């Protein structure tokens, strides 16, 4: 498909290749920068293997409120972690040459993609975590919390930057010339191109598209170089041409946009290699990349509780016991493990179309052949009591979601999660594994739970979960976000005066890996 589009582009009057982008952004990334760089490189290879040259990644939002539906796209509530994680950019684009000029985009050939730092700026700070809403903060707060990762991204040669749907103190970012042109282009000396979000200029007005000629004028004059116009693109091109003819938009603004877009295309080598390299296809879903994903899972899992008392740890679990119970909505569901932006925009709610290992399958592969694994998504109390289980693994969490559909006011796990924890953990020793894009409310159940693991969105590689649960590898992960007791406390971030979390930012218990054979 991409090649067909490209051939159409190349057969046009000027023969300029087009650049095609995709949302290759995933996971809750509480991991180290080196690992993230390797993930970036693997992502670049897989994106290029499908003929696409441009990834709308990384999301460098600083999520200040987990009620936000895009919180799982953010690395942390702490800008220092988000800044460190911009190391995914050289993974996606390639290592910046030593002699490169600051702010000039860099993409190292046809196994790499153009990256996109997003969403400029303040998208993670909206009031009450409402997606696309208003970030109310003074300039110093914006600069100190939401801006720093953009300094790092520009310094690392990021090719493009996407503007946020959100507003800053009531002004839509898509119309904010002071920040897009004044700060990003003039002050930070960013030389790549600025792209709008999906129908982003339409949303300058409320309701969207209410005054389209104003939206085009405001967006282009703010400094946006490329518009994401998924429908009715002729409306945009006609309106833009008309405004240039009438000198509403000066030709110098068009020249700036064209120069920036061409600069990225030249740097990428698109003129030399416009078509897909079919030899890269074997990288798609390769075992090497799956192993990398599995490593990312085990390093990002956070052990939040381990035993009713410190001297009675439950984890690592024993592989060789007579019988264990696996229960819960998320124990055998790849769609749930992956979350949004998977197969479909809002994710899927089953195992179809995803090649991978569920947590249940991983448990069955990991335990001793003599251990009986009994699985029931929602067992009743009688079933639990009438079977002599050594322990139980309860896997619960959220439905998949993306963007506004993920906005929530309650941050609760889906039913029958709460009653399931009560039934199972009330009758047998249990470890609860939470599959979610963010901290969710767990405080009411803590006294019943023996061990608690935040697994985030482990994606296709469920064995990364069992790697640490059963002690083949240690638990090392720490919370990149504050875990609240209740939603009434939100927003609550590390450093706040009223800071009283269930688990603080940076918390995470560690374990020693098991050595030798269990008897």
């Amino acid at each position: 498909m991409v090649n067909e589009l490209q051939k159409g582009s190349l057969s046009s009057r000027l023969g300029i290749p087009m650049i095609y982008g995709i949302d290759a952004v995933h996971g809750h990334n509480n991991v180290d920068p080196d690992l993230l760089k390797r993930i970036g490189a693997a992502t670049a290879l897989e994106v290029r293997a499908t003929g696409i040259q441009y990834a709308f990644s990384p999301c460098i939002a600083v999520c200040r409120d987990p009620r936000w539906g895009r919180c799982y796209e953010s690395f942390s509530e702490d800008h220092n972690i988000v800044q460190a994680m911009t190391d995914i950019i050289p993974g996606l684009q390639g290592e910046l040459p030593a002699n490169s000029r600051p702010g000039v985009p860099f993409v190292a050939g046809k196994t790499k993609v153009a990256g996109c730092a997003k969403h400029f700026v303040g998208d993670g700070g909206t009031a009450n975590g409402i997606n696309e809403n208003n970030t109310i903060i003074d300039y110093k707060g914006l600069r100190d919390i939401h801006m720093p990762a953009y300094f790092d991204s520009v310094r690392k040669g990021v090719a493009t930057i996407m503007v946020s749907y959100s507003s800053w103190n009531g002004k839509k970012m898509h119309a904010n010339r002071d920040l897009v042109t004044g700060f990003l282009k003039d002050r930070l000396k960013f030389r790549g191109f600025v792209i709008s979000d999906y129908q982003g200029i339409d949303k300058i007005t409320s309701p969207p598209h209410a005054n389209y000629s104003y939206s085009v004028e405001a967006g282009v004059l703010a400094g946006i170089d490329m518009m994401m116009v998924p429908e009715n693109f002729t409306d945009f091109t006609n309106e833009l041409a008309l405004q240039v003819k009438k000198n509403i938009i000066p030709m110098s603004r068009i020249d700036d946009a064209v120069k920036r877009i061409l600069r990225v295309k030249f740097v990428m080598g698109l003129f030399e290699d416009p078509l897909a390299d079919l030899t890269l296809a074997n990288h798609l879903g390769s075992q090497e990349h799956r192993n990398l994903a599995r490593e990312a899972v085990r390093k990002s899992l956070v052990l939040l509780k381990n035993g009713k008392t410190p001297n009675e740890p439950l984890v690592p679990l024993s592989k060789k016991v007579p019988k264990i119970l696996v229960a819960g909505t998320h124990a055998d569901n790849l769609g749930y493990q992956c979350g949004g932006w998977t197969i479909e925009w809002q994710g899927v709610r089953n195992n179809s179309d995803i090649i991978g290992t569920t947590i249940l399958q991983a448990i069955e592969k990991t335990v001793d052949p003599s251990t009986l694994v009994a699985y029931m998504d929602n067992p009743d109390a009688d079933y639990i009591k009438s079977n002599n289980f050594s322990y139980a693994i309860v896997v619960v969490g959220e439905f998949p979601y993306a963007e506004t559909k993920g906005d929530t006011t309650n941050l609760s796990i889906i039913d029958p999660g709460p009653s399931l924890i009560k039934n199972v953990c009330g009758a047998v020793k249990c470890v609860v594994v939470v599959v979610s894009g963010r901290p969710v409310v767990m405080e009411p159940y803590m006294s019943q739970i023996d061990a608690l693991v935040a697994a985030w969105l482990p994606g296709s590689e469920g064995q990364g979960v069992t790697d640490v649960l059963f002690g083949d590898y240690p638990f090392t992960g720490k919370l990149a976000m504050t875990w609240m007791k209740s939603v009434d406390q939100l927003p609550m971030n590390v450093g706040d005066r009223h800071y009283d979390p269930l688990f603080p930012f940076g918390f995470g218990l560690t374990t020693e890996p098991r050595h030798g054979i269990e008897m």
Side-chain angles (χ1 to χ4, degrees):
M1 180 194 78
V2 178
N3 275 355
E4 285 305 303
L5 291 169
Q6 190 65 284
K7 284 168 188 168
S9 212
L10 295 173
S11 65
S12 65
R13 182 175 63 88
L14 294 174
I16 295 172
M18 58 107 209
I19 181 170
Y20 189 102
I22 193 166
D23 285 286
V25 51
H26 223 289
H28 183 103
N29 303 287
N30 179 13
V31 289
D32 58 88
D34 170 66
L35 178 56
L36 209 64
K37 193 181 285 187
R38 288 186 281 136
I39 288 169
T43 303
L45 265 178
E46 296 220 359
V47 169
R48 277 291 195 163
T50 61
I52 296 170
Q53 320 100 340
Y54 179 20
F56 301 130
S57 170
C59 175
I60 54 172
V62 182
C63 177
R64 305 293 281 176
D65 192 324
R67 290 174 292 187
W68 184 37
R70 303 194 79 152
C71 200
Y72 66 91
E73 296 182 47
S74 162
F75 295 113
S76 178
E77 72 186 48
D78 176 17
H79 70 84
N80 291 298
I81 290 181
V82 180
Q83 284 179 268
M85 295 304 158
T86 57
D87 265 9
I88 193 172
I89 292 167
L92 291 164
Q93 298 189 158
E95 289 289 348
L96 208 55
N99 61 350
S100 58
R101 280 170 46 223
V104 175
F106 176 74
V107 183
K110 58 184 181 179
T111 60
K112 298 295 181 181
V113 291
C116 180
K118 65 184 194 182
H119 308 86
F120 186 81
V121 61
D123 50 341
T126 56
N128 302 320
I130 297 169
N131 191 39
E132 303 183 13
N133 212 274
N134 189 20
T135 299
I136 303 160
I137 195 170
D138 61 16
Y139 179 74
K140 184 182 184 302
L142 188 78
R143 188 194 65 206
D144 293 353
I145 296 170
H146 299 283
M147 279 287 195
Y150 285 95
F151 307 160
D152 293 76
S153 299
V154 171
R155 203 169 61 239
K156 289 171 187 175
V158 76
T160 76
I161 290 174
M162 188 184 293
V163 183
S164 179
Y165 287 129
S166 58
S167 303
W168 175 46
N169 296 336
K171 186 170 179 67
K172 292 273 187 182
M173 279 306 308
H174 274 72
N176 196 320
R177 190 173 192 280
D178 289 345
L179 288 178
V180 176
T181 296
F183 193 86
L184 193 56
K185 291 182 171 181
D186 296 345
R187 186 119 167 259
L188 288 192
K189 300 283 187 274
F190 173 61
R191 294 288 174 262
F193 68 78
V194 177
I195 186 169
S196 82
D197 208 331
Y198 188 97
Q199 289 184 321
I201 57 165
D202 297 52
K203 295 187 182 187
I204 288 173
T205 58
S206 185
H209 209 82
N211 183 347
Y212 196 55
S213 58
Y214 166 73
S215 293
V216 171
E217 179 187 344
V220 175
L221 289 180
I224 302 172
D225 303 307
M226 184 182 279
M227 298 299 175
M228 209 184 293
V229 186
E231 296 149 15
N232 305 329
F233 60 90
T234 51
D235 289 2
F236 172 75
T237 52
N238 292 342
E239 183 57 45
L240 180 63
L242 184 69
Q243 293 195 20
V244 173
K245 206 176 276 180
K246 288 181 172 175
N247 286 328
I248 296 167
I249 293 171
M251 204 58 185
S252 57
R253 176 71 273 273
I254 303 299
D255 290 344
D256 173 53
V258 172
K259 181 165 70 177
R260 288 166 177 275
I261 294 165
L262 285 174
R263 180 184 284 134
V264 170
K265 290 179 178 180
F266 282 129
V267 159
M268 292 173 72
L270 267 189
F271 282 83
E272 293 80 6
D273 287 303
L275 298 175
D277 180 349
L278 302 182
T279 65
L280 296 175
N282 59 349
H283 289 292
L284 269 177
S286 68
Q287 194 55 49
E288 188 187 352
H289 290 174
R290 289 185 178 277
N291 293 345
L292 176 60
R294 182 171 169 179
E295 179 189 347
V297 173
R298 61 175 176 257
K299 286 182 174 175
S300 61
L301 260 60
V302 185
L303 182 60
L304 297 171
K305 182 178 180 179
N306 192 11
K308 293 260 168 80
T309 62
N311 54 1
E312 288 182 280
L314 180 58
V315 177
L317 298 169
S318 175
K319 291 180 186 177
K320 193 168 185 178
V321 291
K323 195 193 235 183
I324 63 174
L325 171 65
V326 179
T329 45
H330 288 58
D332 193 29
N333 193 312
L334 282 169
Y336 286 2
Q337 279 177 212
C338 290
W341 296 112
T342 302
I343 309 297
E344 295 174 16
W345 176 41
Q346 293 294 331
V348 292
R349 297 191 176 191
N350 51 45
N351 290 331
S352 63
D353 299 323
I354 304 173
I355 298 166
T357 307
T358 67
I359 292 169
L360 171 67
Q361 289 167 338
I363 293 165
E364 290 169 338
K365 283 181 188 174
T366 304
V367 296
D368 188 87
S370 66
T371 299
L372 182 69
V373 178
Y375 165 63
M376 198 174 275
D377 62 349
N378 188 18
D380 60 30
D382 291 343
Y383 173 81
I384 300 159
K385 283 175 184 143
S386 62
N387 280 274
N388 194 15
F389 293 115
S390 307
Y391 58 80
I393 301 170
V394 179
V395 194
V396 292
E398 298 185 291
F399 283 130
Y401 52 80
E403 299 191 42
T404 306
K405 287 220 169 109
D407 284 2
T408 177
T409 52
N410 57 31
L411 285 171
S412 52
I413 56 173
I414 60 174
D415 286 331
S419 59
L420 187 67
I421 291 171
K422 200 169 141 199
N423 285 346
V424 177
C425 299
V428 60
K429 273 193 174 171
C430 76
V431 54
V432 173
V433 178
V434 180
V435 175
S436 68
R438 53 195 163 188
V440 288
V441 174
M442 293 303 294
E443 210 240 358
Y445 329 118
M446 287 310 297
S447 59
Q448 296 159 317
I449 293 170
D450 292 278
L452 178 64
V453 175
W456 313 115
L457 297 171
S460 62
E461 305 311 303
Q463 283 201 262
V465 178
T466 52
D467 281 343
V468 287
L469 266 187
F470 290 95
D472 293 327
Y473 291 84
F475 269 99
T476 57
K478 306 292 180 192
L479 286 181
M481 296 207 67
T482 297
W483 201 293
M484 71 285 148
K485 290 175 181 169
S486 78
V487 287
D488 302 339
Q489 296 176 296
L490 300 175
M492 175 176 65
N493 300 109
V494 63
D496 288 352
R497 275 205 304 263
H498 66 290
Y499 198 67
D500 180 29
L502 181 61
F503 302 107
F505 171 85
F507 179 79
L509 302 171
T510 54
T511 55
E512 290 296 321
R514 269 211 175 109
H515 298 292
I517 296 161
E518 282 184 54
M519 301 305 288

